[in-house]
Amino acid sequence: MKIRARFAPSPTGYLHVGNARTAILNWLFAKHGGGQFVLRVEDTDVERSAKEFEQAIYKDLRWLGLNWDEGPDVGGAFGPYRQSERLEIYHKYAHRLLEEGKAFHCYCTQEEIEVRNKAALARGGQPKYDGHCLHLTNEQKQAYLDEGRRPVIRFHVPEETIQFQDLVKGEIVFEGENISDFVILRSDGAATYNFAVVIDDALMKISHVIRGDDHLSNTPKQVLLFERLGFDVPVFVHIPMILGSDRSKLSKRHGITAIRLYREKGYLPEALVNYLSLLSWSSESGEEILPLGRLIKEFDFTRMSKSAAIFDREKLNWMNNRYIRTAALERIVELSIPFLEKAGFRVSDRDYLTQVIDTVRGNVDYLEQIPEHAKIFFQKEVSIESDEAKEMLALDSSKQVCRAFLEELGPVETLSPEVFKQIMKSIQKKTGVKGKFLWMPVRIALTGRMHGPELPRVVEILGKEKCESFIKETLGKQL
RNA sequence: GUCCCCAUCGUCUAGUGGCCCAGGACUCGGGAUUUUCGAUCCCGCAACAGGGGUUCGACUCCCCUUGGGGACGCCA
């Protein structure tokens, strides 16, 4: 079977982590099987849909590297790919169901239905459509029309057992009697989600419907529609959802969920793709850092778990750090520049910048953290950041060390790590100070901090001049 | 309330009847590399929800309970 997978977002908001994962798995599955990946925009809800969200979703998908073979912006043989442009198609099929007696006009208002549902609930019954308009005479229909009511079209759910195979969940069975007759065409003529997906998936020849398992309970309705419309039923793949730390549906209160915010914080797309792929799925190798090529090669649904996974920012951070440290240095430099500029650092010296980024990139979870680590290489003067550091520096031995360091620095031409280590050795001999009490004062005097990259490396990047002036400066302040 | 799905360390997971008194990863704690943090390496803490079956033998199969999630819209 030719594989055609699809991602069908509704442009009612930014792409978030859950949707992105669905898109990634669809894309991975399509690539793995040498098939097509289709993008379809589900904008039947005019109220909530917005063009800017559609564009934003494109941007995020592209950033993640999920290119599509067919879609609203690139076209394709099964278009249009925007549901708002497919209205006539939905009408055509809705009327066919109407003519065949599989659907009916319903004149009930939402308020009336709500009242009846509540009453049914109070009686201990089910809140499902009660068939009020199922057998209306033409006179009754006309009367409603004269009242000014605009009908919807409802699909009549037969009382039969609905069964389908899900690639990850296995065999699923629903009873038609538990499913309410549902609206397929709204009073304004727009198709509802359950109807539009079926028509589109069928007409677009989608072979695998891969989506979050929150859609599992919609599936029997869709299966029914596929069958009554005479379409082939696609293979369903309901992937477990991503939950927040409290095990409820992932939302804003669980932290940042919009993909664009991850981009803006300096996460790498490949890290996000890798991490998200590993939620409810694992490589047979047991390895976790899986570059895109391996993901495509290894991904399928046989190793997909059935249970939901919790989104863990800590682990994402770890993985992003792994990618940041192994990515091409030039790329990381390039991506870091906006953050550094925002922090007010001069980044014109590309060589210097590259050295700085090279030594600090291993310490960040995401690029937004680069400036705070890089600060020590851009500051004009040193300010001691903590009381602990001030105390350390106030020690007599520290002053001795700093003075000795300044003396040693004098004749030096280029301050390489090796030269620096030599200097430290002779300071130790001269002053008798060693270990922590030898190294820490130098670090603090030079950077203002007790933490940072390897000191020999720091010194090398800073260069003799800056080291000299920083030491003099702190010496002047302290003594 | 009804229907559907799910159930291994705090988290992501391996495990498809014996290889498991359960393995890896993140986090956390400890140690090492004779400066801190970090990085790296090593070590450690930590789980099969409960109860019944089936079986010579269950984390693995079945049932029940409990717990969690999702869906019951003229949202998707």
Side-chain angles (χ1 to χ4, degrees):
Chain A
M1 180 181 20
K2 207 175 165 215
I3 289 169
R4 283 175 62 79
R6 112 264 127 131
F7 177 57
S10 62
T12 55
Y14 293 104
L15 186 69
H16 60 84
V17 168
N19 285 154
R21 206 268 301 244
T22 301
I24 289 165
L25 299 196
N26 268 284
W27 186 88
L28 244 25
F29 183 70
K31 293 292 159 195
H32 175 80
Q36 259 109 41
F37 177 59
V38 178
L39 180 65
R40 182 174 71 226
V41 174
E42 309 215 326
D43 56 352
T44 52
D45 185 353
V46 249
E47 298 275 303
R48 299 198 299 153
S49 295
K51 259 287 195 285
E52 66 243 51
F53 285 133
E54 186 182 317
Q55 294 303 322
I57 289 169
Y58 291 166
K59 188 177 176 185
D60 289 338
L61 289 172
R62 289 216 177 83
W63 177 69
L64 287 171
L66 310 181
N67 55 308
W68 46 98
D69 303 296
E70 298 166 28
D73 57 334
V74 298
F78 303 90
Y81 293 90
R82 212 176 265 119
Q83 291 189 330
S84 57
E85 294 164 14
R86 299 173 64 81
L87 264 33
E88 327 78 66
I89 302 174
Y90 306 134
H91 282 203
K92 184 182 133 197
Y93 286 98
H95 284 280
R96 190 152 105 196
L97 290 174
L98 220 43
E99 281 155 26
E100 294 170 355
K102 294 166 183 164
F104 60 96
H105 281 293
C106 171
Y107 299 84
C108 302
T109 64
Q110 296 186 62
E111 293 72 32
E112 288 167 347
I113 287 173
E114 201 179 319
V115 168
R116 279 184 258 146
N117 279 347
K118 274 190 181 149
L121 224 36
R123 268 183 274 113
Q126 289 313 299
K128 63 176 276 203
Y129 187 72
D130 60 3
H132 183 90
C133 295
L134 192 50
H135 303 294
L136 253 30
T137 64
N138 286 335
E139 290 70 34
Q140 288 172 306
K141 288 181 186 173
Q142 193 54 50
Y144 276 134
L145 247 21
D146 291 344
E147 270 180 51
R149 297 190 184 220
R150 308 289 307 151
V152 299
I153 297 177
R154 282 184 192 274
F155 179 75
H156 182 51
V157 177
E159 295 209 347
E160 63 185 47
T161 300
I162 305 141
Q163 200 170 31
F164 58 92
Q165 278 298 124
D166 188 281
L167 227 49
V168 345
K169 303 284 186 179
E171 184 176 85
I172 307 287
V173 181
F174 282 86
E175 293 302 330
E177 59 180 303
N178 292 321
I179 300 170
S180 181
D181 289 349
F182 57 94
V183 174
I184 56 177
L185 223 56
R186 293 187 263 247
S187 52
D188 66 357
T192 60
Y193 164 74
N194 278 121
F195 192 57
V197 245
V198 169
I199 307 291
D200 292 345
D201 285 337
L203 263 29
M204 291 178 185
K205 303 244 181 304
I206 299 303
S207 64
H208 294 71
V209 172
I210 303 160
R211 70 217 327 184
D213 70 9
D214 48 337
H215 284 286
L216 204 53
S217 45
N218 282 323
T219 310
K221 295 177 188 170
Q222 295 171 16
V223 169
L224 241 24
L225 250 15
F226 275 110
E227 288 174 347
R228 295 303 128 109
L229 253 11
F231 292 133
D232 289 337
V233 182
V235 176
F236 290 104
V237 188
H238 286 98
I239 55 184
M241 304 221 298
I242 299 176
L243 271 24
S245 46
D246 60 356
R247 292 208 163 271
S248 68
K249 204 169 179 174
L250 192 63
S251 70
K252 272 136 244 116
R253 65 199 167 78
H254 295 111
I256 61 177
T257 54
I259 293 297
R260 54 178 266 274
L261 294 179
Y262 284 94
R263 179 178 59 234
E264 286 167 7
K265 277 195 167 297
Y267 282 82
L268 264 24
E270 59 268 40
L272 226 30
V273 168
N274 192 159
Y275 175 71
L276 257 16
S277 307
L278 248 31
L279 256 24
S280 298
W281 181 84
S282 61
S283 160
E284 199 171 2
S285 68
E287 290 169 79
E288 304 202 286
I289 299 291
L290 302 164
L292 203 52
R294 280 193 61 188
L295 245 21
I296 292 171
K297 188 159 179 278
E298 297 183 28
F299 186 80
D300 66 38
F301 294 110
T302 61
R303 291 189 60 78
M304 195 82 193
S305 116
K306 292 178 173 185
S307 48
I310 290 173
F311 183 78
D312 181 11
R313 181 92 182 266
E314 294 279 353
K315 187 145 183 181
L316 200 216
N317 283 347
W318 165 77
M319 191 167 281
N320 200 46
N321 168 277
R322 295 282 117 184
Y323 277 97
I324 286 174
R325 60 170 64 198
T326 54
L329 181 56
E330 269 310 300
R331 177 174 166 225
I332 299 302
V333 170
E334 209 51 56
L335 290 171
S336 299
I337 289 175
F339 295 107
L340 290 162
E341 282 177 339
K342 201 175 164 203
F345 299 145
R346 276 193 64 229
V347 292
S348 47
D349 186 341
R350 184 65 174 227
D351 236 37
Y352 186 75
L353 180 60
T354 303
Q355 287 189 68
V356 170
I357 299 295
D358 191 26
T359 84
V360 302
R361 68 163 161 175
N363 290 52
V364 302
D365 291 332
Y366 41 94
L367 269 17
E368 191 184 60
Q369 296 174 332
I370 288 276
E372 65 181 87
H373 286 89
K375 185 188 169 206
I376 58 168
F377 298 110
F378 291 101
Q379 56 196 357
K380 296 275 178 292
E381 53 185 53
V382 177
S383 63
I384 314 302
E385 293 186 355
S386 71
D387 291 341
E388 204 187 344
K390 280 176 189 157
E391 282 167 26
M392 171 63 86
L393 212 49
L395 261 32
D396 282 340
S397 64
S398 297
K399 293 169 191 167
Q400 275 182 46
V401 168
C402 286
R403 274 193 221 101
F405 184 64
L406 198 53
E407 280 167 28
E408 292 285 332
L409 222 43
V412 168
E413 285 189 11
T414 43
L415 202 44
S416 68
E418 292 68 35
V419 170
F420 175 73
K421 283 178 199 162
Q422 275 309 122
I423 290 177
M424 293 306 274
K425 263 183 202 158
S426 49
I427 295 175
Q428 189 197 123
K429 263 182 209 151
K430 225 188 265 181
T431 63
V433 181
K434 59 184 174 181
K436 192 175 178 174
F437 296 97
L438 168 64
W439 289 70
M440 206 39 101
V442 177
R443 174 181 288 283
I444 297 169
L446 257 25
T447 69
R449 298 176 174 179
M450 297 183 76
H451 313 300
E454 277 178 73
L455 205 44
R457 180 69 180 143
V458 171
V459 162
E460 183 189 25
I461 294 175
L462 248 20
K464 182 185 169 180
E465 251 177 72
K466 273 189 183 169
C467 286
E468 215 159 24
S469 78
F470 286 165
I471 286 279
K472 277 181 186 162
E473 187 191 324
T474 30
L475 230 32
K477 269 187 210 161
Q478 296 291 318
L479 308 176

